[in-house]
Amino acid sequence: MIAAGLTQRFKVAFDPNSQIFSLAGTIRPRSIDEIAESIHALREAIDAVRGVLYIDVKRLIQMNNTAFQAFIRVALDACRERSDLRLIIITSSVVGWTTRMFRHLSTIEPQISVEVYDSMFYPGQSFVEDTSFIPILRAQTKLTWRHERTILPRHGMRPGIAVADICCGIGDFAVLAQKEFQPARIVALDHSKPSLAYARNVAAEFGVTGIEYTYGDASEMLLEDNQFDFVTCRHSLQIFNQPELLLKELFRIVKPGGRVYITNEKNSHCLGEPRAQSIQWTYNELARLLSHFEMDVELGPKSRRYLADAGFDDILVESFMVTNLDGDPQDFADIIAGWEKMFAAMAARHGEAPEFIDRFRQGFQDHIFAALHPKGYAGWPIWAASGRKPL
């Protein structure tokens, strides 16, 4: 069941299969009568379930006290009438007030509990939010930008358009895009508060203004439909355990005729000479290791299929190789050194044997050796792809 109210400003829905009652949008009635239909829908949902009813408010943007009291009155009454009933309210730290308003309910009614959705966002979140990873991200963007600044116009980037950089990380790509292409509007969204804080500082230090940095859940964004001409999501589908959910959201926010641009890797194709075999072994093992953390770092060549399955047409795919010949070889070596530290820690966390970790680290060190060797060659392949939202 789906219902809408107050001139479509909010929606309520009940999924009986999952026993989830969801509230989304802005609910600011002047009296309870204005939301009577939605209150009735909650009562019907409670009557229809046995055991647990999930009340999902992750996408609730605003709710005034009249609406809050009306919905909660129904929930509290139901708990007191039915000892078998449990209510789990799912909030999001993206909309901080929801955690404050709903959390106290568990202290006055033991049959109600409140969970913050974001704490279980995805398995690799703790690694990405490690601030020691920030220098690696900056070095990566520095090397990839040499290629992407010429690739992006072929995929639709141009001055004067509305751009969204989803999963913007530390925001340096948004800064470069703002300076190079001068879009009319650019929104940069990420789930990591430390990364966003860093991004704002970088933009301020570089004197770059006009970037709208936004905290948000990329799989359920509080951005309106059909807003942007060009949406980017770089190196992120591969670290989410459900990339199709992100693509669904990217499809939703891009305008008909606009394009979504993604970049992803195929880590097992990282290469180097000399010591090629050691390097190849480590990156094959890296892909296997990260699969245990629900990351698919082999996603790059799969981009076309993912975009097609999400509903995009006119799909463009190309690949480029970041190498030790792209400027200072030390920049490439610094990236690999950062990878070695982070991925060795993940291997240890996964319970790999010390002998494995030693060999695993050796492959990264050999990749660094190849990058810095006067006759060496080291590569890191990336796939760039985009698709158009049909008109």
Side-chain angles (χ1 to χ4, degrees):
M1 185 278 289
I2 297 177
L6 300 182
T7 62
Q8 306 298 318
R9 295 180 64 197
F10 76 93
K11 294 179 181 178
V12 301
F14 175 56
D15 177 356
N17 293 326
S18 302
Q19 297 200 166
I20 298 175
F21 182 86
S22 58
L23 293 163
T26 299
I27 310 177
R28 299 181 63 83
R30 288 165 296 184
S31 72
I32 294 177
D33 292 342
E34 294 181 35
I35 56 172
E37 184 178 350
S38 299
I39 295 295
H40 181 68
L42 176 58
R43 289 197 181 98
E44 285 191 328
I46 291 171
D47 290 342
V49 304
R50 294 292 179 271
V52 176
L53 174 67
Y54 295 89
I55 299 178
D56 179 351
V57 296
K58 294 196 302 289
R59 301 197 68 182
L60 191 57
I61 300 170
Q62 291 182 339
M63 172 182 263
N64 67 9
N65 195 52
T66 298
F68 179 77
Q69 294 298 335
F71 281 104
I72 292 309
R73 186 73 267 155
V74 173
L76 292 173
D77 288 347
C79 289
R80 287 160 189 169
E81 292 167 4
R82 288 178 50 186
S83 60
D84 68 303
L85 183 68
R86 283 190 61 222
L87 299 180
I88 298 177
I89 298 174
I90 306 168
T91 66
S92 169
S93 64
V94 173
V95 186
W97 65 266
T98 61
T99 57
R100 292 194 301 274
M101 284 186 73
F102 287 97
R103 182 163 280 164
H104 82 282
L105 294 172
S106 59
T107 65
I108 62 175
E109 175 49 65
Q111 289 173 230
I112 297 178
S113 58
V114 179
E115 296 179 356
V116 181
Y117 167 74
D118 308 70
S119 63
M120 298 289 287
F121 186 59
Y122 66 93
Q125 180 71 14
S126 59
F127 291 102
V128 177
E129 291 203 337
D130 183 347
T131 53
S132 67
F133 196 50
I134 285 176
I136 304 171
L137 295 173
R138 291 205 68 180
Q140 289 183 175
T141 303
K142 180 180 178 181
L143 292 187
T144 59
W145 182 250
R146 294 172 182 270
H147 301 268
E148 290 191 270
R149 66 186 302 181
T150 59
I151 288 174
L152 283 163
R154 293 200 288 270
H155 291 260
M157 177 70 96
R158 61 187 185 278
I161 61 175
V163 175
D165 184 26
I166 306 304
C167 305
C168 70
I170 58 171
D172 47 354
F173 176 82
V175 167
L176 292 167
Q178 174 80 328
K179 293 171 70 174
E180 180 81 15
F181 297 103
Q182 299 180 345
R185 182 190 181 199
I186 182 165
V187 174
L189 178 144
D190 201 88
H191 182 74
S192 167
K193 290 181 178 177
S195 294
L196 282 174
Y198 186 90
R200 291 188 178 97
N201 287 337
V202 168
E205 289 174 1
F206 291 174
V208 175
T209 59
I211 300 175
E212 303 169 38
Y213 289 108
T214 303
Y215 177 54
D217 172 352
S219 66
E220 271 194 290
M221 292 182 279
L222 299 175
L223 296 173
E224 298 295 329
D225 299 352
N226 306 317
Q227 277 195 61
F228 300 98
D229 301 288
F230 193 70
V231 176
T232 65
C233 187
R234 301 169 59 262
H235 301 286
S236 297
L237 295 178
Q238 61 187 31
I239 62 170
F240 282 86
N241 57 351
Q242 298 184 74
E244 64 278 1
L245 290 184
L246 266 66
L247 279 169
K248 183 179 179 181
E249 279 293 90
L250 303 181
F251 186 93
R252 182 180 66 79
I253 65 172
V254 73
K255 294 177 181 176
R259 298 189 74 87
V260 166
Y261 169 87
I262 59 176
T263 61
N264 292 284
E265 302 166 48
K266 184 174 176 65
N267 273 26
S268 65
H269 281 202
C270 284
L271 53 83
E273 288 286 352
R275 303 179 182 176
Q277 288 185 340
S278 169
I279 295 168
Q280 186 67 67
W281 183 88
T282 286
Y283 284 99
N284 283 335
E285 290 301 314
L286 175 61
R288 181 190 62 79
L289 171 69
L290 294 186
S291 69
H292 294 296
F293 292 90
E294 300 186 52
M295 301 181 189
D296 182 7
V297 291
E298 301 287 274
L299 194 147
K302 305 172 187 173
S303 299
R304 184 184 181 195
R305 171 164 56 84
Y306 272 106
L307 287 166
D309 289 347
F312 293 98
D313 63 15
D314 189 26
I315 295 168
L316 305 175
V317 181
E318 56 187 300
S319 61
F320 60 92
M321 183 76 81
V322 175
T323 78
N324 59 323
L325 306 182
D326 294 336
D328 187 346
Q330 189 62 53
D331 288 339
F332 191 99
D334 289 344
I335 292 173
I336 307 306
W339 289 359
E340 179 194 345
K341 179 183 177 183
M342 182 177 69
F343 295 134
M346 293 178 79
R349 175 172 159 180
H350 186 246
E352 300 291 350
E355 297 78 13
F356 172 90
I357 295 175
D358 287 344
R359 186 179 178 188
F360 187 59
R361 298 188 78 133
Q362 185 61 52
F364 291 114
Q365 291 164 16
D366 288 339
H367 207 195
I368 293 170
F369 180 82
L372 298 178
H373 192 284
K375 298 179 183 179
Y377 181 79
W380 166 36
I382 294 172
W383 274 257
S386 71
R388 183 185 65 173
K389 184 175 180 176
L391 294 169

